[in-house]
Amino acid sequence: MKAEEKTTTVLFVILVIHMSLAVEMDMDIFAEPFDHAGNRNTKNDRPIIGVLSQETDGNVTIFGSQLIAATYVKFIESAGGRMAPIFINSTAPQIEKLFNSINGAIFPGGHRLLHHSNYTRVGKQILELAIKAYDNGDVFPIWGECLGLELISMLVAGRDMRRGQLDSEFFTDVNAENISLTLNLPKDYKTASVWKYAPTHMVKYLHDNKVAYNNHVKAITPQTYHKNRLLKKFFRIVSTSKDRKGVEFISTMEGKKYPVYLFHWHPAKSQFEWSRDLDIKHSFRSILTGQYFANFFVQQAKLSEHQFPSVEEERATLISNYKPTDVHNYLPFVQAYFF
C-alpha cells in the first residue's frame, strides 16, 4: 500500500471513530441524571407512579366502569418505574393515603368533560397535596397530558370548573385533532427542566419535523397565558405549536417552582400506539423522544421518598394485578386496563 493510501485509510478510520464517539456522547445524555430544583440526589430507586383512571362510555362500558390506557403503563415501565392506578371513585382519605405511598402522578389524556367527571375532583386533590408537599420539602412530580393539561391549567388559573373546557374565555378553538406538529422552543429553552438534558439532535428534530402528536380541539394561546396572572406566575411556556390554520397555542409548560409538567401533545404515542388511522410517527428519533421524556419523569419520581406501609400493600396496589384488554376495535389505542 502506498504512503498516500495509508494516510487516507488512517484519516478515514479516525473520522469514523470520531463520528461514532460523537453519536455515543449525544445518546449518552439520555442516561444523564435529571433535576428540577437544585442538586438533589436520587432518594428512591424503586419509584411507583400513579395514573388517574377515567370513566368509560359507549361500547367499552362492557369491560368496566373505569379505564386507563396501557400506553401510560408502558411509558413508566420503559424507564424503570412501576405503575399504580388511581381510581377516580376513591374517597378523599383514600386518595391522600395513596398519595403518601406513591412517588408521582400522571393525569392522562382523554375526552372527558371536566365539569362532569370525578377525574376533576381527584386531580384537584392530588395537585393540592403535591403543592403542599413541595412547600414542605417533599417532592411529588405531576405529568399532565392533554386533558391533564386542561385540568391543571384551569385549576391553577382559578377558572370556574363548572364550565370545564366550555370556558371560551380561557380555551381557544384549534384545529389540532389527529395531527403531528412541530415544537417551537424559546431561546432560553435549556434553562427549562424538561429540556435541560435534551440532546441537541432531538430538539432540532422536534423543531424541524412534524412529529409531536396532537389530538385536541381546545388549547391555551400565549395571549391567554400572558393575560392570566395566576397561570403566568405558576408556569413558564417551554414550547408552542401551530394548528392546521396557523393558530399558535401552548404545547408544553412546566412549573416555575413546582415539578408540574404539562403537555398538549403525546410523547409516548410513537413508542406504543399503532392505529393506522392516527397521524403518529414511528421514526427512530420519535421513539427516542418518547423515551427521553419517560426517563425524565421517572427520574423526577426518584426524588420522592414516599413508600407504602408494607410490601404486601404495595404489591396489592400495582397494575400488575390487572390484565390489559385489546381495544383497537373500540378506542384509538391498542390496549387498556379496565376496572
Side-chain angles (χ1 to χ4, degrees):
M1 184 180 291
K2 296 181 180 179
E4 291 182 354
E5 292 177 337
K6 288 183 178 180
T7 301
T8 302
T9 300
V10 171
L11 289 174
F12 177 77
V13 171
I14 292 174
L15 178 61
V16 169
I17 293 173
H18 177 74
M19 291 177 66
S20 298
L21 288 173
V23 170
E24 287 178 7
M25 288 175 67
D26 208 14
M27 294 302 183
D28 279 349
I29 204 144
F30 283 90
E32 286 283 345
F34 305 108
D35 194 15
H36 179 77
N39 295 317
R40 298 181 182 146
N41 296 320
T42 294
K43 297 179 180 179
N44 171 19
D45 63 358
R46 301 175 61 85
I48 298 174
I49 296 170
V51 178
L52 271 69
S53 65
Q54 297 178 51
E55 295 94 348
T56 58
D57 57 15
N59 293 337
V60 296
T61 55
I62 62 174
F63 300 116
S65 60
Q66 299 177 63
L67 69 80
I68 294 175
T71 312
Y72 298 100
V73 181
K74 298 172 185 177
F75 182 67
I76 293 167
E77 291 180 345
S78 74
R82 291 173 294 165
M83 183 279 208
I86 302 174
F87 300 119
I88 56 171
N89 62 344
S90 301
T91 64
Q94 288 172 331
I95 292 298
E96 185 168 4
K97 180 181 179 182
L98 182 61
F99 172 85
N100 290 319
S101 301
I102 59 177
N103 309 108
I106 291 180
F107 293 22
H111 297 284
R112 302 275 70 77
L113 292 173
L114 292 174
H115 53 298
H116 290 308
S117 175
N118 276 325
Y119 180 99
T120 297
R121 174 183 62 83
V122 174
K124 180 176 184 291
Q125 183 183 359
I126 292 173
L127 178 64
E128 290 173 349
L129 288 170
I131 291 172
K132 182 179 178 180
Y134 193 87
D135 287 339
N136 291 318
D138 178 12
V139 178
F140 187 92
I142 291 177
W143 173 292
E145 184 171 312
C146 203
L147 183 67
L149 174 145
E150 293 166 4
L151 171 60
I152 294 173
S153 297
M154 288 194 74
L155 292 171
V156 168
R159 307 302 296 182
D160 185 352
M161 295 308 303
R162 292 174 296 180
R163 299 176 66 187
Q165 299 99 315
L166 301 181
D167 186 346
S168 58
E169 296 175 1
F170 189 67
F171 292 111
T172 298
D173 292 335
V174 293
N175 193 333
E177 196 169 13
N178 189 24
I179 186 173
S180 289
L181 302 169
T182 58
L183 297 183
N184 300 308
L185 278 60
K187 292 182 179 179
D188 65 344
Y189 76 89
K190 274 292 187 181
T191 63
S193 295
V194 295
W195 299 118
K196 186 176 181 180
Y197 294 100
T200 303
H201 67 77
M202 189 190 87
V203 173
K204 186 176 187 304
Y205 181 70
L206 290 168
H207 180 269
D208 296 345
N209 298 274
K210 294 181 179 180
V211 293
Y213 182 72
N214 288 255
N215 194 22
H216 53 95
V217 295
K218 301 285 185 179
I220 302 169
T221 65
Q223 292 80 9
T224 298
Y225 166 86
H226 288 294
K227 289 178 182 177
N228 190 289
R229 180 182 59 83
L230 295 175
L231 191 66
K232 189 174 181 179
K233 180 180 179 181
F234 193 99
F235 287 110
R236 63 180 292 189
I237 299 173
V238 293
S239 82
T240 61
S241 296
K242 291 184 178 180
D243 74 354
R244 289 182 177 90
K245 297 181 179 180
V247 177
E248 185 180 30
F249 63 90
I250 298 170
S251 47
T252 319
M253 290 194 288
E254 72 171 30
K256 292 180 177 179
K257 174 182 178 182
Y258 301 101
V260 180
Y261 310 97
L262 304 186
F263 299 79
H264 227 156
W265 54 291
H266 302 270
K269 294 284 188 183
S270 294
Q271 295 166 279
F272 306 116
E273 295 300 347
W274 298 98
S275 172
R276 295 183 183 276
D277 297 327
L278 302 181
D279 185 34
I280 298 172
K281 311 304 179 185
H282 298 285
S283 69
F284 176 65
R285 292 196 186 280
S286 295
I287 292 168
L288 285 182
T289 296
Q291 191 60 55
Y292 169 83
F293 282 106
N295 292 349
F296 167 79
F297 191 66
V298 170
Q299 189 65 33
Q300 292 294 307
K302 289 183 177 182
L303 298 177
S304 168
E305 295 184 280
H306 292 189
Q307 59 182 350
F308 283 87
S310 68
V311 173
E312 291 73 24
E313 190 170 339
E314 175 183 290
R315 289 175 178 170
T317 308
L318 295 174
I319 195 65
S320 53
N321 292 288
Y322 305 88
K323 294 182 179 180
T325 300
D326 184 338
V327 292
H328 73 275
N329 288 327
Y330 300 89
L331 297 168
F333 33 85
V334 177
Q335 293 177 313
Y337 288 84
F338 291 91
F339 316 97

